[in-house]
Structures are given as structure tokens and as C-alpha cells.
Amino acid sequence: MNIHQIDSQQLNNKQTPFYYYDLQLLNETIASVKRAADRRGFHVHYALKANFNKRIVKHIQSAGFGADCVSGNEVQFAIDNGFPASQITFAGAGKSDAEIRTALQHKIFAFNVESIQELEVINELAGESGVTAHVSLRINPNVDAHTHHYITTGLDENKFGVPNSELEQAAAVLRNCAHIQLLGLHFHVGSQITDMNVFKSLCVKVNEWKNWFEERGTQIKVLNVGGGLGVDYHQPDEQPIADFEAYFEVFDKFLERESYQEVHFELGRALVAQCGTLVSRVLYTKSGVKTNFLVLDAGMTELMRPALYQAYHKIEKIGALPDSTPINYDVVGPICESSDCFGKNVSLPSAQRGDLIAIRTAGAYGEVMASGYNLRNEIRYVYSDEIGHS
Ligand code: LLP
């Protein structure tokens, strides 16, 4: 149930702020990804970092997706929440020895390895434990994702992956790592990518690097192309489910894969962004010298994306009458930072103390990035099936 279909009285009774999760939309999104991926024999790992709220994760795990983890704790969480170790990948430029040991102990599907030194450390730790580590080598393909520079990961200047210039050396090190088996190659060029040409350029690079290895006699079984598919933050109701068909079709068409090669994806945002809404209450209305402020009871501590990336989230008044006259507001939070602002000059129906405000498309990188700064309360959440129909 979409946030606007709920009887506002029911929401009014809830203590704010909270994340509202529309489980029906989540399930429809999961079904849509599954259909498009299964049709092509593609493997999808859910990027847990986007949202590890337990019920959200349960729905995704039950659909049979794997898990893409970026810390030892995420690996452990994935195991504890029912993901088979054989479907868990572990990425990250700075895996600690303890985290590597956790993943080795669980015999995960693959480490996505980000540097030559990391290969050597994994080899050593695997040797100590008497196991073989399966790895995919993360290559930095130098593909511009044309997204916010903080969430671009595949350019030469980014810290992720092994640069082209070091591949020769990486291949040589791999040949000497007795406790490592190279499964495949890993790429991830960034997040919130809406231009399918970026993925097409990625495919061209994947083909090149796969051939490079195979020409040198190393068979590449897994082509892991990462995640990054974007969602529509501006019109969450018009296109609530990303176009997974179009996305997977690019890879189907442009990746040159052999019959023995599997294609793996690590999608986060596109699975969960639209099912989450941050619901907050107006604490105060205030006329500044140049603008009107709506001061909410949620701030950057509950949803950090606007403060961190100047990210746009659609802001709406819940239960607004259709003929209300719009006013331009700066919608801000209570935190003592000027960057604690959800939107400037937002046109909204006139609002008063106590009114509810919806901040949309907050299901990905929302709740998980909440912080305790200012000793704020722990974030609450409400699922759609806990609320009656209007
Ligand atoms: N794989 C790797 C190696 C990643 O680093 C990421 C995201 C993903 C997969 C999932 O990407 P997605 O499908 O969700 O785009 N906090 C930022 C996003 C950071 C993304 C980090 N890496 C935000 O709020 O926009």
C-alpha cells in the first residue's frame, strides 16, 4: 500500500519519525527482477548494504537471491538470515584479517578482491586454515558512470579494484597463490545509473578483460558486473519498479559469454528504494528572512542522502487537500548542521505544526545510514501489513 493510500489518521497515531515499508511493492519489484533475470539465466546477489532491515531481507532471501556483502558482519548477517554460503560474495577495498577469516570459515561463493596485496593476504589466511578461497578479481575498468562523484567507483581515480596497469602482475601473483582459485572477474562502476549506455560500455570492457585472461590460459567462469541500476527519485509513483528487462537485456546483448560462463549481478538500490518512505512530522513552521522553513522531527540522522550527496528525494504532505494553495518551503531537520536540509524551495500545500510529511524513495541507503549523532533515538519502522486499509 502506497503511503497516500493509508488513512492519515492511522499514520497520525504513530510516533514519528519512522520508515514506512510497502511490502507489496517490494514483492512486485522482487518478482520483476526475478522474471527478467531467470529468463536469461542470470544470478542476482542482493547488495545488503542498501537495506538490511530484517523483514525486507527476508522477502529478498525467500525469492532465492544471493547476498553481496561488504563487511564480515554482513557476511555473518547473510548466513544468519538464511542466505546459502554458496550464494554470498564479499567485496570491499579494506577487508580486515578477521573479516577474511569469517568469510573463509563460511566457505562463501567468492571474495571480490580489490588489490594484489589483498590476494596475498587471502592466500596466506586460507593456507593457515587449510582451505581454498574462491575469488573474483575486481578490475577497475575506467568507465564513467555519469552519476554523483561520491558514488562513482569505476574510474582510475577511484580506490576500488585493480587498475589495468597492474593486471599483468595480478595474474602472475595469482599463479603463485596455492590457496586461491580464480573464479572470475568483478566490476562495479557506480550507483544510481540510469543511462543504459554506461552498462553497454561496461560490457565492452568486461569482454576485453575476459579475453585478456582467457588468451593467457586462465578460464573465467564468473562475470560479475556489479550493481548500480538507478531508480526514478522524481516520479516514484509513475515508475515505481525499475525497468529490469531493459537493464538485463543490455548485458544479454552485449556481453560475449561462453556456455560455461555465469553472469552475476549485485543489485541494491533498484530492489528496495521505492518501497521505503520516511514519515516525519512538522515540529515548527518558521518564516525566515528569505524563506519559509518547515522544521521536521526527522533530519540527516534518519536520512543522510540529501546532506551527503545533495540527493533529491520527493517531499510530499500526507493527507493534503487537493485544492490547498502551495507555498515554497525549505524543509529542514532538527540537527545542528546547516546541511541538515531535505530540500530547498519545495512547493507544498500550506503546512502546520503536527502535519505529516513523506520523504519518498528512501528504502535504499536510508535506514542503514541512520546515525546516532546528537544522541538521536534509534530509527523506527512500520510495515504496510501492520496498517489497516483506508
Ligand atoms: N556492488 C558493489 C561492489 C557496490 O559497491 C555497490 C554499492 C553495489 C554493488 C550496489 O549498488 P546499487 O545497485 O545499490 O547501486 N550510499 C549511496 C550509494 C552507495 C553505493 C555503494 N556501493 C547512496 O545513498 O546513493
Side-chain angles (χ1 to χ4, degrees):
M1 200 175 3
N2 175 303
I3 192 79
H4 296 296
Q5 294 167 308
I6 304 169
D7 175 8
S8 42
Q9 203 46 49
Q10 297 223 36
L11 290 176
N12 244 321
N13 296 334
K14 303 266 176 211
Q15 189 177 337
T16 52
F18 61 86
Y19 275 90
Y20 168 77
Y21 290 118
D22 180 347
L23 296 180
Q24 189 185 332
L25 178 59
L26 173 65
N27 285 338
E28 285 167 14
T29 309
I30 291 171
S32 166
V33 182
K34 227 184 135 39
R35 238 186 343 264
D38 286 356
R39 226 155 71 70
R40 300 172 166 89
F42 288 167
H43 301 256
V44 177
H45 303 259
Y46 169 56
L48 264 182
K49 66 171 88 62
N51 190 319
F52 41 74
N53 180 291
K54 286 219 172 159
R55 277 194 71 193
I56 302 281
V57 170
K58 191 74 220 156
H59 281 258
I60 294 172
Q61 180 270 328
S62 313
F65 296 123
D68 164 45
C69 304
V70 282
S71 70
N73 289 346
E74 280 194 5
V75 170
Q76 190 59 53
F77 179 94
I79 296 280
D80 294 345
N81 285 277
F83 289 93
S86 60
Q87 284 180 264
I88 294 177
T89 54
F90 181 17
K95 304 178 187 78
S96 72
D97 292 15
E99 291 178 310
I100 293 171
R101 284 198 182 96
T102 301
L104 285 172
Q105 175 204 332
H106 289 299
K107 300 192 168 51
I108 62 164
F109 174 68
F111 289 85
N112 293 332
V113 174
E114 310 239 3
S115 68
I116 292 178
Q117 200 167 32
E118 186 192 329
L119 275 178
E120 291 165 341
V121 171
I122 294 178
N123 184 51
E124 189 183 317
L125 297 178
E128 277 171 21
S129 313
V131 294
T132 299
H134 292 152
V135 311
S136 292
L137 192 65
R138 179 166 181 178
I139 299 178
N140 184 334
N142 198 23
V143 166
D144 191 345
H146 299 295
T147 182
H148 192 282
H149 61 283
Y150 279 9
I151 49 178
T152 288
T153 52
L155 286 175
D156 280 344
E157 69 233 43
N158 299 129
K159 68 180 174 186
F160 303 99
V162 178
N164 296 349
S165 54
E166 285 187 2
L167 276 184
E168 204 67 79
Q169 195 192 341
V173 168
L174 271 167
R175 280 191 291 275
N176 289 326
C177 285
H179 309 288
I180 283 187
Q181 189 190 336
L182 182 71
L183 268 192
L185 304 178
H186 175 237
F187 301 82
H188 174 78
V189 291
S191 198
Q192 184 50 20
I193 299 166
T194 47
D195 176 0
M196 292 301 127
N197 285 317
V198 171
F199 296 117
K200 187 176 156 189
S201 309
L202 171 62
C203 289
V204 172
K205 295 282 184 173
V206 175
N207 294 338
E208 273 176 27
W209 288 113
K210 179 199 71 169
N211 292 338
W212 188 92
F213 274 89
E214 299 216 316
E215 278 159 15
R216 284 159 181 76
T218 307
Q219 205 187 61
I220 298 298
K221 186 173 159 226
V222 169
L223 301 172
N224 183 334
V225 294
L229 177 62
V231 298
D232 192 343
Y233 280 91
H234 288 266
Q235 304 186 75
D237 296 319
E238 281 76 352
Q239 214 197 340
I241 299 180
D243 191 348
F244 295 108
E245 260 302 317
Y247 170 68
F248 287 124
E249 184 55 23
V250 172
F251 294 92
D252 211 2
K253 204 158 153 198
F254 295 104
L255 269 187
E256 292 157 6
R257 52 176 168 148
E258 312 298 329
S259 55
Y260 57 84
Q261 276 162 347
E262 297 175 0
V263 186
H264 290 241
F265 294 81
E266 303 168 341
L267 290 172
R269 187 189 314 267
L271 267 70
V272 292
Q274 298 292 17
C275 76
T277 297
L278 178 60
V279 179
S280 177
R281 208 177 290 275
V282 177
L283 288 176
Y284 302 104
T285 59
K286 185 167 143 177
S287 302
V289 178
K290 291 193 174 153
T291 181
N292 298 306
F293 290 101
L294 278 190
V295 184
L296 305 186
D297 63 1
M300 62 193 284
T301 40
E302 284 67 46
L303 179 63
M304 201 199 275
R305 303 191 69 256
L308 193 57
Y309 318 111
Q310 298 83 45
Y312 173 85
H313 284 260
K314 190 168 188 183
I315 302 175
E316 296 165 330
K317 183 176 158 186
I318 294 178
L321 298 172
D323 57 352
S324 337
T325 340
I327 296 184
N328 279 1
Y329 291 106
D330 279 11
V331 182
V332 300
I335 307 302
C336 49
E337 300 272 348
S338 292
S339 59
D340 184 26
C341 177
F342 289 119
K344 283 192 178 298
N345 252 322
V346 183
S347 173
L348 286 171
S350 162
Q352 299 171 22
R353 173 171 165 82
D355 284 347
L356 289 178
I357 299 292
I359 305 177
R360 305 289 306 277
T361 320
Y365 307 107
E367 189 190 332
V368 281
M369 287 172 71
S371 86
Y373 184 41
N374 288 197
L375 264 185
R376 298 274 291 167
N377 289 334
E378 207 167 303
I379 187 71
R380 299 162 182 279
Y381 42 87
V382 171
Y383 304 108
S384 49
D385 60 4
E386 296 170 341
I387 288 190
H389 294 253
S390 57

